[in-house]
Amino acid sequence: MAVIPPPSKALWAAELPRALWMGATWWRHRAELAAAPRGDGRAVMVLPGLFNSDRSNIVLRRYLAARGYRVRGWGLGRNLGVRSVGPDAGHLIARIESVADRGPVTLIGISLGGIMARMVAQARPDLVADVVTISSPYAGPARATNVWRAFETLTGERVDDPAVIARSAAIAGPLPCPSAAIWSRSDGLVAGIICRDDTTPAVEVRSSHLWVQHRPQVLAAVATILAAWPPPVSGQ
């Protein structure tokens, strides 16, 4: 199997400047954001990336709410992997159950949050209508990132633990629901090639990893993806 290298040191070093530039020029894209399709009122939960909390995706949540979705944060504090969601994502599943009063929920996950969204979709397809991942390195080895050491420190898991490897392989498998992956080949923290796979519709953006969930192109892409999927069917 070919070794997939992490992003270059140059891309890694450019992460913060690129994110700051995106923030400074965000206003240029107001027309693009306003033109994105409106939603159908479905329930959406946004899952944050590693070490981030619901505060990190407030722009995305507010935008989707303005487009007509019932949007929730995950409500589990900072994302510290299994320390936050439980070994089998039990805490996260319970949280999704609490908002699935009208049927399955759409999950949108940033980075590690997208991996968790896929994990729940595999384990509880009755709860998950569809999944959008944003810069989520679910389709390749953890060492194809520049953050695997931080992952080990914050989650208490080892990326070479057989149980973690087996879980990652299951997460990378085909999902029982519609899914889409938003990714960037210029990502400075995770190799873009492992943020997508051949069976999942993918949207490529040009973005840093840092604050990717704020990028106007990403916000518009999420709205467009959701509008193309049929409304979830209530099980009640």
Side-chain angles (χ1 to χ4, degrees):
M1 180 181 296
V3 175
I4 301 174
S8 68
K9 292 182 179 178
L11 280 176
W12 192 1
E15 277 285 304
L16 182 57
R18 292 174 68 198
L20 291 173
W21 175 251
M22 180 272 294
T25 58
W26 201 91
W27 61 272
R28 296 178 180 176
H29 303 274
R30 288 177 295 181
E32 174 189 359
L33 293 171
R38 296 208 38 98
D40 53 20
R42 75 180 66 198
V44 174
M45 180 179 289
V46 184
L47 314 183
L50 180 65
F51 195 64
N52 284 319
S53 68
D54 286 331
R55 288 175 178 243
S56 68
N57 53 54
I58 192 169
V59 172
L60 174 58
R61 288 189 287 119
R62 286 180 174 174
Y63 176 69
L64 292 177
R67 302 317 293 167
Y69 296 99
R70 295 183 293 122
V71 188
R72 303 287 188 275
W74 81 333
L76 295 175
R78 291 192 179 276
N79 189 343
L80 303 178
V82 295
R83 287 175 169 164
S84 298
V85 303
D88 298 312
H91 303 324
L92 177 56
I93 289 171
R95 172 64 177 155
I96 296 170
E97 286 177 328
S98 72
V99 301
D101 55 323
R102 303 184 196 175
V105 177
T106 293
L107 301 182
I108 301 173
I110 299 102
S111 196
L112 179 59
I115 293 174
M116 292 175 168
R118 291 182 62 95
M119 180 180 178
V120 175
Q122 297 278 21
R124 290 294 304 274
D126 58 310
L127 290 178
V128 181
D130 22 57
V131 172
V132 180
T133 59
I134 301 173
S135 298
S136 299
Y138 68 87
R143 284 189 170 85
T145 77
N146 287 316
V147 293
W148 66 269
R149 291 182 180 86
F151 171 87
E152 290 191 336
T153 298
L154 293 169
T155 68
E157 294 193 306
R158 304 285 297 180
V159 298
D160 55 0
D161 184 322
V164 173
I165 293 172
R167 185 180 68 208
S168 298
I171 289 170
L175 295 185
C177 63
S179 62
I182 298 174
W183 68 287
S184 171
R185 71 179 70 240
S186 60
D187 192 312
L189 295 188
V190 304
I193 194 172
I194 67 170
C195 296
R196 55 175 295 275
D197 66 83
D198 294 337
T199 65
T200 303
V203 177
E204 182 178 1
V205 297
R206 185 169 180 79
S207 177
S208 58
H209 191 92
L210 188 64
W211 300 345
V212 62
Q213 69 273 22
H214 300 333
R215 191 167 190 84
Q217 186 182 2
V218 171
L219 302 183
V222 171
T224 301
I225 290 166
L226 296 189
W229 286 338
V233 177
S234 175
Q236 299 181 1

